[in-house]
Amino acid sequence: MKTINLWINGESTASGSKETFENFNPATGQVYAQVALGTKDDVDRAVQAAKKALHGPWGKMPLRARCDLLSRVADRIDERREEFLKAEIADTGKPIGLASKIDIPRGAANFRIFSDMLKAHGSESFWQDTDDGLGAMHYVTREPIGVIGVICPWNLPLLLMTWKVAPALAAGNTVVVKPSEETPATATLLGEVMREVGVPDGVYNVVHGFGKDSVGEALVQHPEVSAITFTGETTTGKHIMKSSANHLKKLSFELGGKNPAIIFEEADIDRAVAGTLRSAFANCGQVCLCSERVYVARSIFDTFVEKLKSQAELIAMGDPWATTTTMGPLISKTHQQKVESYFKLAKEEGAQVITGGELAKLEGDFDQGYFVKPTIWTGLSEQARCVKEEIFGPVCHIQPFDDEEEVIKMANDTEYGLCAALWTQDVSRAHRVSSQIRAGMVWVNTWYLRDLRTPFGGMKASGLGREGGIHSLNFYSELKNICVKL
Ligand code: NAD
Ligand code: 6OD
């Protein structure tokens, strides 16, 4: 059986306690690896290694050399693409069509973009007139914050981890990563890549384990970790905020969502159906940006529901390595049970099940996998729990609406504010509605089209701060203003 170790100070290492935990392949439901279970002492070991690198070779390395190394990390991920794919697919069960187009290439792209950005970016400066007529010059420099704790979820493991690690390292920090306990493999593999390209020992560290009373909490509470960057559930974000308060750590949170998609009557309906098929069911609905609430103009409601249903029923589940597979399993048995409980709840709340609403029974090697059918509901009240709570599975509820004002109100009636997808051919409406949606990102006639220079993050309970482009570099830096009086 495969063993997945911690990565501390440039080497693969067992946990101090020698304990391990099981790692399941969600497509087969079978244990495929044992993972080293980190301890509080392992977290401290990783933090001390990160501190040493920060004040040593990494801290002293010229910016250009640092950025060049990060570009090499990107190249090496590309070169070892097959191994990354294998690791990510074993951990998540996601289809190769998805992992090879999104997860692994974005892992590499994250390093390229932030290395390029840092090299290209200048800084602010201001000339100030003074009473003596001589003036003063202000200029701003960028310094690393220190050791950054990076706490990650399981849905896009390499993509979301490197989305934080790459800008943190580009800005000169060192990191200790706590991957999700469900998806440890690619984080350790990235350690090998760091070493191969010559990133100094201690710059990138990985400690595997759980959240509460485990590695996650130990990292958050470690006095020498200066900032925590976290992606995960809103409730976990609240715990982290409380337990990091004593040390006033800098925090960046990317949290949950219950995102609306709105299809107006003038929309190109086939594009809207294809887009909503992706936005509701991509990655088995396990993307924080997925549309779990779909609002459709009453005049096209029946047609839209019928078209989405027939497309959803064509989604193929099965062997993640088959290019014909278009949807994978949920991440774990526990998550499958959670989604199944919402199938039951939806019926109790009066939903009409248009399609799905049950576990998917596969055969052969995949008969124990955590598959569920893509599910569409109609007929629920806007106050139903299935319409209010983030489910994080391949599910959506479709509600008809009569006018723009009404649908904006429904779309905004949520504790979350991560993103929205609008489908319309009326350009004025596109701008008018976008400006009234309380969410960090609005996509019009598309969904999850990413440009890594743009701000990414949520309003309300969906997050704290923005990452992406200069927003990431600013979060991962201390900006210092220097004022020189002439
Ligand atoms: P989660 O909050 O359960 O776990 C995320 C990470 O936090 C894991 O590594 C976990 O071990 C750790 N953790 C848990 N409790 C902790 C604690 N008390 N202290 C420190 N660390 C702790 O989330 P998940 O189930 O892995 O991911 C799914 C959730 O993530 C969904 O809510 C989804 O919307 C959200 N998400 C948001 C974004 C975004 O960009 N906004 C992206 C991906 C996922
Ligand atoms: O694409 C990204 O940069 C990003 N942060 C995606 C988040 C997806 C949530 O599951």
Side-chain angles (χ1 to χ4, degrees), residues 223-303:
E224 289 167 289
V225 171
S226 307
I228 295 288
T229 178
F230 167 73
T231 304
E233 283 189 19
T234 297
T235 47
T236 312
K238 290 179 188 173
H239 285 300
I240 291 179
M241 190 177 245
K242 278 189 202 138
S243 65
S244 64
N246 272 347
H247 298 112
L248 280 178
K249 290 183 204 288
K250 256 183 124 178
L251 299 174
S252 175
F253 285 172
E254 297 184 349
L255 307 176
K258 186 77 181 177
N259 311 298
I262 307 177
I263 295 91
F264 290 99
E265 64 181 347
E266 69 283 358
D268 175 332
I269 193 160
D270 290 330
R271 275 183 70 193
V273 168
T276 308
L277 190 78
R278 275 185 66 230
S279 76
F281 304 128
N283 203 34
C284 198
Q286 302 169 117
V287 181
C288 57
L289 309 161
C290 276
S291 319
E292 291 191 4
R293 296 182 295 141
V294 179
Y295 298 96
V296 179
R298 197 175 296 278
S299 58
I300 56 166
F301 183 79
D302 291 343
T303 315

Side-chain angles (χ1 to χ4, degrees), residues 35-36 52 75 103 108 174 179 210 214 255 271 287 297 335 362 446 449:
V35 186
K52 199 164 159 224
D75 295 343
D103 298 70
T174 55
F210 298 85
S214 180
L255 307 176
R271 275 183 70 193
V287 181
H335 194 42
L362 274 68
T446 184
L449 176 60

Side-chain angles (χ1 to χ4, degrees), residues 72-130:
R72 278 288 302 133
V73 171
D75 295 343
R76 194 68 189 133
I77 293 174
D78 287 343
E79 286 158 14
R80 295 187 65 176
R81 177 178 175 275
E82 291 306 314
E83 289 161 90
F84 276 97
L85 272 175
K86 215 168 149 193
E88 205 73 305
I89 289 173
D91 267 359
T92 61
K94 65 176 72 190
I96 181 157
L98 191 67
S100 64
K101 284 203 189 72
I102 299 197
D103 298 70
I104 309 307
R106 254 300 295 280
N110 287 335
F111 283 100
R112 261 184 209 111
I113 181 119
F114 288 110
S115 140
D116 287 351
M117 272 201 72
L118 202 83
K119 278 189 284 191
H121 196 71
S123 77
E124 293 166 277
S125 70
F126 302 91
W127 175 259
Q128 182 182 22
D129 290 330
T130 54

Side-chain angles (χ1 to χ4, degrees), residues 57-72:
W58 192 243
K60 297 192 174 101
M61 191 177 287
L63 184 149
R64 189 174 187 91
R66 190 166 84 216
C67 292
D68 287 349
L69 269 183
L70 297 179
S71 300
R72 278 288 302 133

Side-chain angles (χ1 to χ4, degrees), residues 233-236 238 255-260 293 295 342 382-385 387-391 409-419 438-440 458-463:
E233 283 189 19
T234 297
T235 47
T236 312
K238 290 179 188 173
L255 307 176
K258 186 77 181 177
N259 311 298
R293 296 182 295 141
Y295 298 96
Y342 279 98
E382 280 296 286
Q383 300 315 312
R385 281 183 50 204
V387 177
K388 286 279 173 231
E389 297 171 11
E390 183 188 50
I391 300 170
K409 215 165 152 203
M410 289 196 288
N412 284 336
D413 185 15
T414 167
E415 66 174 303
Y416 296 108
L418 189 57
C419 76
R438 292 282 298 156
M459 295 184 186
K460 302 194 275 182
S462 288

Side-chain angles (χ1 to χ4, degrees), residues 106 155-156 159-160 163 254 287-289 448 450 456:
R106 254 300 295 280
N155 59 332
L156 300 161
L159 186 160
L160 289 176
W163 171 242
E254 297 184 349
V287 181
C288 57
L289 309 161
Y448 197 15
R450 294 284 286 117
F456 186 102

Side-chain angles (χ1 to χ4, degrees), residues 171-395:
N173 304 282
T174 55
V175 297
V176 178
V177 177
K178 207 302 267 174
S180 168
E181 51 274 34
E182 308 285 357
T183 53
T186 46
T188 294
L189 197 50
L190 187 63
E192 291 178 21
V193 163
M194 295 277 175
R195 187 175 56 194
E196 282 166 353
V197 305
V199 171
D201 295 348
V203 170
Y204 171 84
N205 306 278
V206 179
V207 186
H208 296 297
F210 298 85
K212 193 163 162 30
D213 301 326
S214 180
V215 169
E217 205 164 84
L219 190 57
V220 169
Q221 293 179 349
H222 197 293
E224 289 167 289
V225 171
S226 307
I228 295 288
T229 178
F230 167 73
T231 304
E233 283 189 19
T234 297
T235 47
T236 312
K238 290 179 188 173
H239 285 300
I240 291 179
M241 190 177 245
K242 278 189 202 138
S243 65
S244 64
N246 272 347
H247 298 112
L248 280 178
K249 290 183 204 288
K250 256 183 124 178
L251 299 174
S252 175
F253 285 172
E254 297 184 349
L255 307 176
K258 186 77 181 177
N259 311 298
I262 307 177
I263 295 91
F264 290 99
E265 64 181 347
E266 69 283 358
D268 175 332
I269 193 160
D270 290 330
R271 275 183 70 193
V273 168
T276 308
L277 190 78
R278 275 185 66 230
S279 76
F281 304 128
N283 203 34
C284 198
Q286 302 169 117
V287 181
C288 57
L289 309 161
C290 276
S291 319
E292 291 191 4
R293 296 182 295 141
V294 179
Y295 298 96
V296 179
R298 197 175 296 278
S299 58
I300 56 166
F301 183 79
D302 291 343
T303 315
F304 182 91
V305 171
E306 192 45 47
K307 282 180 182 256
L308 191 67
K309 170 186 187 307
S310 50
Q311 292 292 313
E313 288 173 354
L314 295 176
I315 288 174
M317 286 173 268
D319 182 356
W321 288 95
T323 50
T324 46
T325 300
T326 50
M327 193 172 96
L330 293 169
I331 191 67
S332 62
K333 187 88 193 154
T334 312
H335 194 42
Q336 190 191 36
Q337 285 162 351
K338 174 182 160 183
V339 174
E340 194 181 15
S341 77
Y342 279 98
F343 290 156
K344 192 164 161 271
L345 178 66
K347 286 184 188 149
E348 287 164 10
E349 290 187 313
Q352 191 185 339
V353 182
I354 301 297
T355 189
E358 59 186 5
L359 305 189
K361 298 271 173 255
L362 274 68
E363 299 195 332
D365 290 348
F366 307 105
D367 66 349
Q368 299 299 308
Y370 315 132
F371 294 91
V372 298
K373 290 188 179 171
T375 296
I376 301 173
W377 299 303
T378 58
L380 287 172
S381 127
E382 280 296 286
Q383 300 315 312
R385 281 183 50 204
C386 289
V387 177
K388 286 279 173 231
E389 297 171 11
E390 183 188 50
I391 300 170
F392 219 57
V395 301

